[in-house]
Structures are given as structure tokens and as C-alpha cells.
Amino acid sequence: MTVESLINKLDELYPEMVELRRHFHQYPELSHQEVNTPLTIAKYLESLGVEVRTNVGGQGVVGIIKGGRQGKTVALRADFDALPLQDQKDVPYRSTVPGVMHACGHDAHTSALLVAAKALSRHQKDLKGNVVLIHQFGEEVTPGGAKPMIEDGCLDGVDAIFGTHIWAPMPVGQVGVKAGAMMAAADKFKITITGRGGHGGAPHLTADALLTGASVVSHLQQIVSRRVDPTEAAVISSGTFHSGQAFNVIAEEAVIEGTVRTFSKQVQETIITEMERVIKGVCDSNGASFSLDYEKGYPPVINHEKETAIVRKCAN
């Protein structure tokens, strides 16, 4: 088997990949609620004669293609959960599930890996080593499916692992690859601010949780610009803000949820400390109290030099 023959086979299978992707796009499933998607994945792999493990760490699926020649074991990884968003496209393959859609490309990741499995399985006897096919559930939430799948042995005996992520800002036909830190650690936070509600016409008798929350969101943005070394990378993004129940009533509570992205453990700890300090300061000045639930996610993706060079060579 040559690289050229494998590429030709993948080109031949491209229409099938598109068909698979559109199927997954029509029938998305949320994180940790995946039922039919892993069944479809397992059935497809089994039809290729691939050895399959299901319910790996939960809803994960792992296949293995055992090569006919001695060699290393390489894992290829994709994810298959969707997001709680409404699909507003007007296309035949739009999501059939209200409020759920593939908006992050996991349908494409899964389809690409399945077609890669089909191409590789047709050259199984020529493979030098083994290929492990990792289909991960629950990637969009913290904690996700990676840790329980690893604990359930999906990486046992694996010498190297490769994964990919489609990226809309990249021009079509280009591949982005980088040695070292590539994707940041993704943490999640939830801030609950408790004030004292009251009539909208008598704000002086209240502790406005909505106003306090708005100030907190604004002040959080100053942490990266004024408390983090400018040579380091960090992001604090507030994604949701819920407060109030009526237009003429001062809100008693505000709930803010968001994410923090970092590459450095030190920067991560700095941000946590500064978030607590900033939130406390704003709440104290407004006569409100707060709680901060900070959940550390997975560490950043660090690409090894050797494996990165292989990807770069193949992309060229």
C-alpha cells in the first residue's frame, strides 16, 4: 500500500463521507445523551470487519484494524456529540431535532474517521502495525468523555495518537498544524450573585443583582489585560447571563456562566485568584454576595515535534 493509493481510495470514498456527514447532521445527539450515534458508528465499523468495542467509558466506541505486518500502534480520534443550538439552515439535511445541531464539526470528524477506517481496512494485510479508531462521546461538556474512555483502556498499547478539527477560519484546502501548545485548556465557571430584590421605582432599597452582574462581566475582561503577562495567552469569555423576572422589579439574583482558556498552569491559577478578587470587590461595593463554581477542564493539547513533522509532511 502506497500513500498515493490510500489517497486515491479516500478520494473515491468522498461522496460516501458526505452522505455519512449529512446523516449525522440530521440526527444529532447532545453530550452524554448519545444513543443512536454510537450504534451507527459501531455498525459501520463492524460491516468493515473491524474489531469493535462499544460502551467504552460510557458511550464511546473503539475499533481496531490489525495490520498484517509488525509495527507501531497508531490511534486516530474523532468526537460525535452535538450542541444545544437551533439549526436555522434551509437545506435537506438540516437537523431534525429541535434545539440540537452539529455546529462544531463533530459530524464531519466522525464521517472522516469512518471513511478513513474503510480505506485502511481494505489494505489491512499491508498495514505495518495497528490502527485504533477512537470515537469519543461528550466532548462539548466538562468533564467530557475522554477521561473515562482512557480509564477504560482506549489508549492501551497506543504509541501515538492523531486527531483533527475542522476550523472555519482556515481557507478551504489548507491544513493547520503546529508543534507545542495548539489548543488551550478549557475551563468552565458559574457565578451566582445574590442581592436584594425590590420595586423598580425604589432602587435605593435594593441590592441590584443584575447591575452587579453586568459590572462583574465588564471587570472580568480587565483580568487578562491587566493581571496576565502580555507574553502569555489567556481568554475569559462570559457566555450566558440570566437575571430578573419582570421589567419593573429589581433582580435579586444573577447567574453568569462562561469559559476560561489558558496554556499555562500558572496563568490558570492567576485567573482563578483574580476572578475571586474581582467578583468579591464588585459585590462588596454593591451590597451583594456571590458564589463562584470554577471547574477545571482538560489540559491544553501539546503536539510533539516528531508527530507534528509527520502531519506537516503529509499535508505538503
Side-chain angles (χ1 to χ4, degrees):
M1 177 184 65
T2 65
V3 173
E4 289 75 18
S5 65
L6 184 59
I7 291 175
N8 289 335
K9 179 57 63 178
L10 290 171
D11 286 340
E12 177 187 320
L13 293 171
Y14 179 77
E16 182 174 342
M17 183 178 70
V18 172
E19 183 179 347
L20 283 166
R21 183 259 170 178
R22 291 183 175 184
H23 169 81
F24 290 125
H25 196 84
Q26 283 183 283
Y27 305 102
E29 295 179 306
L30 292 174
S31 309
H32 297 293
Q33 298 178 32
E34 307 96 334
V35 176
N36 293 318
T37 304
L39 289 176
T40 301
I41 292 169
K43 183 178 179 180
Y44 184 93
L45 292 176
E46 288 168 351
S47 73
L48 303 177
V50 173
E51 181 182 320
V52 178
R53 284 182 62 207
T54 58
N55 302 316
V56 180
Q59 292 97 325
V61 180
V62 175
I64 181 167
I65 301 174
K66 296 181 178 179
R69 301 160 62 194
Q70 292 294 318
K72 301 285 188 179
T73 295
V74 175
L76 304 177
R77 176 263 182 200
D79 35 25
F80 57 76
D81 53 329
L83 286 164
L85 297 170
Q86 181 63 38
D87 192 352
Q88 299 181 0
K89 299 189 302 298
D90 184 17
V91 293
Y93 55 88
R94 68 182 295 176
S95 172
T96 61
V97 184
V100 182
M101 73 171 292
H102 279 289
C104 197
H106 294 188
D107 50 348
H109 301 165
T110 300
S111 304
L113 184 53
L114 289 177
V115 167
K118 189 168 190 175
L120 289 167
S121 66
R122 292 182 178 180
H123 297 278
Q124 187 168 350
K125 68 179 188 302
D126 299 321
L127 281 179
K128 186 178 180 181
N130 308 315
V131 178
V132 176
L133 312 160
I134 298 176
H135 290 272
Q136 181 193 326
F137 68 99
E139 192 274 343
E140 294 288 3
V141 296
T142 302
K147 188 172 185 291
M149 287 190 70
I150 292 171
E151 292 171 345
D152 200 6
C154 75
L155 290 181
D156 290 357
V158 170
D159 296 296
I161 181 169
F162 296 86
T164 186
H165 201 302
I166 62 171
W167 200 250
M170 290 284 294
V172 174
Q174 289 191 12
V175 176
V177 61
K178 176 179 179 292
M182 179 72 176
M183 303 291 285
D187 299 344
K188 177 182 178 181
F189 66 82
K190 179 179 180 180
I191 304 165
T192 302
I193 296 170
T194 303
R196 185 172 63 255
H199 197 285
H204 60 294
L205 301 177
T206 71
D208 192 336
L210 191 155
L211 178 65
T212 304
S215 184
V216 165
V217 171
S218 177
H219 279 77
L220 287 178
Q221 299 308 305
Q222 298 179 27
I223 293 176
V224 172
S225 65
R226 289 297 178 268
R227 291 292 180 265
V228 175
D229 187 330
T231 63
E232 298 279 0
V235 170
I236 301 176
S237 294
S238 298
T240 68
F241 189 124
H242 298 284
S243 185
Q245 300 182 46
F247 79 96
N248 60 347
V249 177
I250 300 295
E252 182 176 351
E253 183 179 86
V255 179
I256 305 159
E257 292 184 276
T259 184
V260 173
R261 306 297 172 99
T262 56
F263 288 112
S264 160
K265 184 72 174 177
Q266 181 180 350
V267 171
Q268 181 189 53
E269 293 300 330
T270 296
I271 286 178
I272 295 172
T273 299
E274 290 299 320
M275 283 183 68
E276 292 175 339
R277 186 183 65 81
V278 166
I279 299 167
K280 183 179 186 304
V282 173
C283 287
D284 285 349
S285 67
N286 286 278
S289 59
F290 78 97
S291 65
L292 171 61
D293 180 13
Y294 193 100
E295 191 171 2
K296 294 180 180 179
Y298 291 113
V301 173
I302 308 296
N303 291 327
H304 296 162
E305 292 280 354
K306 181 180 178 181
E307 285 72 21
T308 301
I310 293 172
V311 174
R312 184 176 287 110
K313 181 178 178 181
C314 291
N316 289 332

